[in-house]
Amino acid sequence: IDNKSLTHRPDLMGHRGFAREFSAIFKQKLILPEPIINLPVDEKPVEAEIITKYCRRFCALKINNVKIHPSNSNEKINLENLDVRSISNLVDITNRIMLEFGQPMHVFDADKIDGKIIVGLAKNGEELLALDGETYKLSDQDIVIADEQKVLSIAGIMGGMESSVTEKTTNIIFESANFDAGIIRKTSQRLKLRSESSMRFEKSLDPQMCKIAILSA
């Protein structure tokens, strides 16, 4: 598989994509494990609203009573071998999913979200303190994930510090979404902020991956 294909095809930015490619090249049957999980049907759904055409899909899954702690040594070694720094068990899960499926994910502290989640465009001049410690000034050309009070993350690029998980977190929301590739690319270039997430989104991902990725997480 030549490098040009790798850099231009987002399906080859995850292990499952490589497995699919090899199965086609060598005409072998492809067997990929599917997540088996039964979600409770009597629970209140996560409140979320998409108000921009630049978000094609948004999946959210809330999990209560979690414990944030370092991943075990095997998990740390696995991530290190894949050139990813281990952070915590929950964040490491989202990185493992991204590396397997090519689908970026994010995890929020659910108790730091005010009201419903809103996926839309930022207001000119809005700011976000991101996970890299830098504050970014946003424009109405940027897709953001917000609640009813504040911006939570720059969609498809980087989460915000204010809603991040810490050792005190007990309730979380996993997010798996799909965004317009052109908008992500423009925002990433304007902010001079390129991430593992943006590198995948700017190449246009398959919206069908969102659900299987979040269930696997």
Side-chain angles (χ1 to χ4, degrees):
I1 299 177
D2 65 48
N3 192 51
K4 180 172 281 190
S5 294
L6 176 61
T7 53
H8 289 283
R9 284 178 49 186
D11 60 313
L12 294 180
M13 298 187 82
H15 292 133
R16 285 186 176 229
F18 261 92
R20 192 177 298 111
E21 193 78 357
F22 287 139
S23 76
I25 291 171
F26 299 112
K27 298 180 173 59
Q28 298 291 316
K29 184 179 180 181
L30 179 66
I31 302 173
L32 294 175
E34 297 293 323
I36 301 173
I37 179 172
N38 295 314
L39 297 177
V41 295
D42 56 343
E43 294 291 331
K44 184 180 179 183
V46 177
E47 286 191 85
E49 182 181 5
I50 300 173
I51 58 173
T52 173
K53 64 181 180 180
Y54 299 120
C55 177
R56 296 186 287 186
R57 191 170 193 183
F58 185 88
C59 299
L61 180 62
K62 185 178 182 183
I63 304 176
N64 295 328
N65 304 315
V66 301
K67 291 183 179 180
I68 308 296
H69 55 75
S71 293
N72 62 45
S73 57
N74 285 339
E75 183 73 5
K76 288 180 180 179
I77 292 170
N78 283 336
L79 288 172
E80 287 173 6
N81 288 337
L82 295 167
D83 202 27
V84 175
R85 180 172 60 91
S86 175
I87 297 173
S88 69
N89 55 336
L90 274 298
V91 175
D92 290 354
I93 285 172
T94 63
N95 282 328
R96 280 292 297 274
I97 293 297
M98 180 182 69
L99 293 166
E100 179 181 348
F101 291 90
Q103 171 67 42
M105 284 186 57
H106 189 63
V107 56
F108 297 100
D109 185 321
D111 296 320
K112 296 176 182 177
I113 296 176
D114 298 310
K116 66 181 176 182
I117 296 173
I118 303 167
V119 188
L121 297 177
K123 299 173 184 175
N124 281 321
E126 273 190 311
E127 294 185 345
L128 177 74
L129 174 60
L131 290 172
D132 64 356
E134 299 289 333
T135 298
Y136 296 93
K137 184 172 287 188
L138 308 174
S139 79
D140 59 6
Q141 300 299 307
D142 305 324
I143 314 169
V144 295
I145 298 169
D147 60 21
E148 296 177 14
Q149 302 293 329
K150 60 188 177 298
V151 175
L152 303 172
S153 71
I154 307 170
I157 301 178
M158 188 169 289
M161 195 73 78
E162 191 173 348
S163 58
S164 64
V165 297
T166 69
E167 65 277 1
K168 297 180 180 179
T169 297
T170 56
N171 304 309
I172 63 159
I173 291 178
F174 276 135
E175 169 237 314
S176 179
N178 187 278
F179 306 106
D180 180 87
I183 296 292
I184 298 299
R185 188 181 304 112
K186 289 176 182 177
T187 295
S188 177
Q189 290 174 346
R190 185 179 61 79
L191 297 176
K192 296 181 175 60
L193 176 60
R194 203 147 190 260
S195 64
E196 290 287 338
S197 178
S198 68
M199 283 193 295
R200 289 164 170 80
F201 278 119
E202 68 185 22
K203 293 177 174 64
S204 192
L205 296 177
D206 179 3
Q208 296 298 324
M209 286 201 298
C210 295
K211 183 177 180 180
I212 188 173
I214 205 168
L215 293 178
S216 294

